[in-house]
């Protein structure tokens, strides 16, 4: 299996991720993590289930990231933190990574101004050839994945909005570029298109 649908649990979750980064950096025990998420409700969610689901997704991203990136997420301004969270999402989701390479980058190369609506369907069909197991996913999951990926692109400033899907002029900040290039250089191909 190449792909998973875990990204459907949430987009970049900037506020929550900054909070969780501070907690993660304390190297909490599993008990302390659970207490902070479910009892103290540090994410300020209406239900423990939502807190638990979102925290689990963010933690999985952090576990794939170099600690320097997590420290910057915890302590930097929102723009830089968002760019680093996008890197974490790319590390965690091969589906998102492939979308950036196969759809977004190709639109840039063709000098397109917007991402076409049919691009997701074409991408899905191509992805199913690589990983036929995704054909078992429900239509609701497929739709949710499309929505979350577009929301991530909007939050990371790669597109203007999820409605118009207009490609935005994006520049990876030098401090993000240097730390990503140092620790996760393969991500640059899915982040920088200038």
């Amino acid at each position: 299996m190449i792909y998973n649908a875990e990204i459907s649990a949430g987009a970049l979750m900037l506020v929550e991720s900054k909070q969780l980064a501070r907690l993660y950096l304390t190297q909490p025990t599993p008990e302390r993590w659970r207490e902070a998420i479910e009892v103290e409700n540090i994410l300020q969610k209406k239900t423990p289930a939502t807190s638990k689901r979102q925290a689990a997704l963010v933690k999985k991203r952090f576990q794939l990231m170099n600690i320097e990136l997590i420290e910057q997420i915890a302590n930097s301004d929102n723009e830089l933190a968002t760019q680093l969270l996008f890197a974490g999402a790319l590390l965690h989701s091969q589906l998102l990574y492939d979308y950036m390479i196969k759809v977004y980058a190709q639109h840039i190369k063709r000098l397109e101004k917007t991402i076409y609506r049919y691009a997701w369907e074409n991408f899905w069909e191509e992805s199913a050839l690589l990983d036929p197991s995704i054909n078992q996913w429900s239509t609701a999951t497929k739709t949710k994945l499309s929505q979350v990926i577009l929301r991530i692109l909007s939050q990371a400033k790669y597109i203007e909005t999820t409605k118009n899907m207009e490609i935005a002029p994006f520049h990876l900040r030098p401090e993000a570029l240097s730390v990503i290039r140092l620790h996760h250089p393969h991500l640059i191909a899915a982040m920088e298109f200038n």
Side-chain angles (χ1 to χ4, degrees):
M1 226 165 65
I2 298 170
Y3 301 121
N4 68 62
E6 291 176 347
I7 197 170
S8 64
L12 295 183
M13 299 178 285
L14 174 65
V15 173
E16 295 88 344
S17 294
K18 285 178 78 73
Q19 183 81 349
L20 290 168
R22 289 188 281 273
L23 174 62
Y24 188 84
L25 291 169
T26 67
Q27 300 178 338
T29 63
E31 294 77 22
R32 174 67 193 123
W33 179 269
R34 188 194 65 73
E35 181 182 332
I37 304 305
E38 297 176 41
V39 179
E40 296 170 19
N41 192 20
I42 65 168
L43 300 184
Q44 300 294 299
K45 300 299 173 186
K46 290 181 181 176
T47 67
T50 300
S51 291
K52 197 172 163 183
R53 185 176 63 254
Q54 290 184 352
L57 175 62
V58 172
K59 187 176 188 181
K60 284 179 181 180
R61 290 174 180 170
F62 287 166
Q63 289 170 334
L64 298 171
M65 298 170 80
N66 180 276
I67 199 72
E68 188 179 346
L69 276 77
I70 300 167
E71 288 169 350
Q72 287 197 32
I73 288 167
N75 301 312
S76 66
D77 62 80
N78 288 349
E79 181 185 57
L80 180 57
T82 298
Q83 291 185 359
L84 297 175
L85 287 169
F86 183 67
L90 288 168
L91 282 170
H92 175 257
S93 174
Q94 187 66 44
L95 196 68
L96 175 61
Y97 183 90
D98 286 357
Y99 186 88
M100 291 302 291
I101 298 292
K102 296 176 180 178
V103 178
Y104 190 88
Q106 294 308 309
H107 278 69
I108 296 283
K109 283 182 186 172
R110 292 191 306 263
L111 303 176
E112 304 287 355
K113 298 204 183 303
T114 61
I115 295 177
Y116 293 119
R117 294 277 171 200
Y118 64 80
W120 174 256
E121 290 301 324
N122 292 346
F123 171 70
W124 188 266
E125 289 172 16
E126 186 179 333
S127 300
L129 295 174
L130 296 172
D131 184 353
S133 70
I134 68 172
N135 286 321
Q136 305 305 312
W137 296 351
S138 70
T139 303
T141 297
K142 180 179 166 184
T143 300
K144 180 73 171 175
L145 287 166
S146 171
Q147 292 167 348
V148 170
I149 285 175
L150 290 175
R151 192 172 322 123
I152 287 173
L153 266 61
S154 177
Q155 290 172 347
K157 308 294 186 209
Y158 284 90
I159 60 174
E160 296 290 338
T161 70
T162 58
K163 295 225 186 303
N164 68 21
M165 300 202 322
E166 190 173 313
I167 295 172
F170 177 83
H171 298 287
L172 196 56
R173 285 191 21 191
E175 53 269 58
L177 183 60
S178 65
V179 74
I180 293 165
R181 185 173 280 144
L182 179 63
H183 299 293
H184 306 288
H186 70 285
L187 296 181
I188 300 300
M191 296 183 76
E192 187 76 327
F193 303 97
N194 296 330

